[in-house]
Amino acid sequence: MVQMSTSSRKALVFVVTFVSYGLYHASRKSLSGVKSSIKADWLSNTSGHEPLFANEADAKHFLGSLDAIFMAAYAAALFFWGWLGDRLNPKYVVAAGMIGSAITLTLFGTIPKWLNFYHAPYYVITYIAFGLVQACGWPSEIAIMANWFGKGNRGFVMGVWAACQPVGNIFGSIFTAMVLPLGYEYTFLLNSVLIAVGAIVVVTAIDSSPNEEQEAGVEANSNEPHHNFHGEPISLFKAILLPGVLAYCICNACLKLVNYAFFFWLPLYLTDAYHWEESQADQLSIWYDFGGIIGSVLGGYITDKMGKRSPLIVAMLMCSIGSLYFYAHVGPYMFWNALVMTTVGVTVSGPYNLIVGSISIDLGSQPALAGNTQAMSTVSGLLDGTGSAGSAIGQLFIPIIQDDLGWKAVFYVFMLLNGFAILAILKRCIIDMKSLRKLRSGEESPLLNDGEGGEHED
């Protein structure tokens, strides 16, 4: 086997984990990109089956319920997989989730169409299973990245890496638009094949930590635990009591609801509100994700230079309230829609990626842990799990608000939620702003402990 340098191995880990979690997100895009098509199929009797629903409103509410149960299952499983990820080899947890996603996604979206088998309980059960296995990815991917990449330039590195989510969304939308003319069932099948292949690459191409091979040898010879890291895994209760964790959990519960509402509903909104073709809506929706990439990368770079993250996150969220207002009133003009949608992505998806990426590692490696490296997956699972729980609740109410009050009211609710997200971390932001002022005046050392928990010195 060819020996690789440490820098080459780090680059390989970055690329493989980036692509693998991008595939996780691309697979989630399967349903959101074909909601109009699958809704029409459920309401049709031309395929030799009775309509699954009596009217369009019932079908739309069921789609909202599927989004909600996915997020609920995903949230519940994040706590478990985060806890387990600190106790097992994380790359195998990632790969298991990818294989499980391939199986459950095919069962949900492809098999019913092929077998002319349409039953609401079947859709519910398979989509719950899809949510459970999807949760394997994020906490363990974060743990792998934390093992390989240290504190220096962490915000920029994780800002770039966390862009795997919007990049995955973009490619998921492109895959969907390309394959949709063949039938919506093939969009599920294609994403299933891609994520299954990705699982093989994860297992064969990377190590979970720089010393995995040596640790595996130690385990084989002396029956010691596989991970030779410092400290012991911590409980969820201890994790939530760590400084900054609860505040960011509350913030993420509000922000992830808004971010995933765009993820789940943006193509359908564009189709319903402006009567654009579904493939056009899928392609246009990628501008939100382009904005997320910009916000994630620039946000990580700027917060590294600042030495604090919360002030920029609060500033971005304040800007998001204005950008959401403008987007609610932009009208049926594709150019302006794409432009304002991009700013929404910068100010909503950008800070979300910073929180679940850079700040997850900051919180999971903060001084309060006294060098314990076996808390990373637990803390990131807790942070993302509470965000997913908030998102699950929101997906139930979005179709109800839209039916009763219209799409503009939905965007006003998003603005309110981002206001709550600001309030959740406002105290942290004020403390960090005071610390930055003292630093500029020379009253503090430049080697500051980040208020979110990590340290930003190289």
Side-chain angles (χ1 to χ4, degrees), residues 98-108 192:
M98 297 176 81
I99 295 295
S101 296
I103 295 170
T104 53
L105 194 63
T106 301
L107 289 173
F108 174 84
S192 296

Side-chain angles (χ1 to χ4, degrees), residues 73-265:
Y74 181 76
L78 273 170
F79 299 119
F80 171 73
W81 290 119
W83 174 85
L84 193 64
D86 283 325
R87 291 157 174 82
L88 299 177
N89 188 320
K91 77 174 183 182
Y92 294 121
V93 178
V94 171
M98 297 176 81
I99 295 295
S101 296
I103 295 170
T104 53
L105 194 63
T106 301
L107 289 173
F108 174 84
T110 306
I111 297 301
K113 182 69 172 178
W114 281 356
L115 301 183
N116 202 25
F117 179 76
Y118 297 84
H119 291 278
Y122 174 84
Y123 282 116
V124 169
I125 292 170
T126 53
Y127 219 53
I128 287 175
F130 181 56
L132 294 174
V133 293
Q134 279 276 299
C136 293
W138 189 256
S140 293
E141 301 264 23
I142 287 287
I144 294 171
M145 285 295 294
N147 291 341
W148 280 94
F149 294 90
K151 298 170 185 175
N153 298 318
R154 177 185 291 161
F156 177 69
V157 171
M158 289 306 300
V160 174
W161 185 84
C164 63
Q165 299 177 85
V167 168
N169 295 343
I170 290 169
F171 278 97
S173 297
I174 293 172
F175 296 153
T176 297
M178 290 172 54
V179 179
L180 189 56
L182 300 176
Y184 73 80
E185 66 273 20
Y186 291 101
T187 67
F188 293 95
L189 184 63
L190 174 63
N191 278 299
S192 296
V193 172
L194 291 174
I195 198 170
V197 172
I200 297 172
V201 175
V202 168
V203 171
T204 58
I206 65 171
D207 296 321
S208 295
S209 70
N211 300 315
E212 180 179 302
E213 292 180 0
Q214 294 94 316
E215 290 162 8
V218 170
E219 180 185 17
N221 294 326
S222 61
N223 294 320
E224 291 183 13
H226 179 81
H227 292 299
N228 190 27
F229 301 147
H230 299 293
E232 295 292 333
I234 65 174
S235 66
L236 289 172
F237 179 74
K238 184 176 180 180
I240 203 167
L241 294 179
L242 290 169
V245 171
L246 180 59
Y248 273 104
C249 283
I250 296 171
C251 175
N252 200 37
C254 299
L255 182 56
K256 187 165 186 174
L257 192 163
V258 178
N259 187 54
Y260 263 70
F262 276 88
F263 179 88
F264 286 130
W265 292 100

Side-chain angles (χ1 to χ4, degrees), residues 103 214 289 300 317 330 343 363 376 397 408:
I103 295 170
Q214 294 94 316
D289 296 304
L317 290 175
V330 71
T343 66
L363 292 170
M376 189 63 62
F397 290 102
K408 287 183 180 179

Side-chain angles (χ1 to χ4, degrees), residues 150-156 300 303-310 358-359 361-362 432 446-458:
K151 298 170 185 175
N153 298 318
R154 177 185 291 161
F156 177 69
T303 56
D304 274 346
K305 295 300 182 183
M306 291 176 62
K308 302 291 180 182
R309 308 206 196 278
S310 62
S358 302
I359 287 178
I361 294 183
D362 290 343
D432 287 347
L447 299 183
L448 291 175
N449 286 341
D450 185 326
E452 285 84 18
E455 297 176 353
H456 292 312
E457 71 270 23
D458 290 334

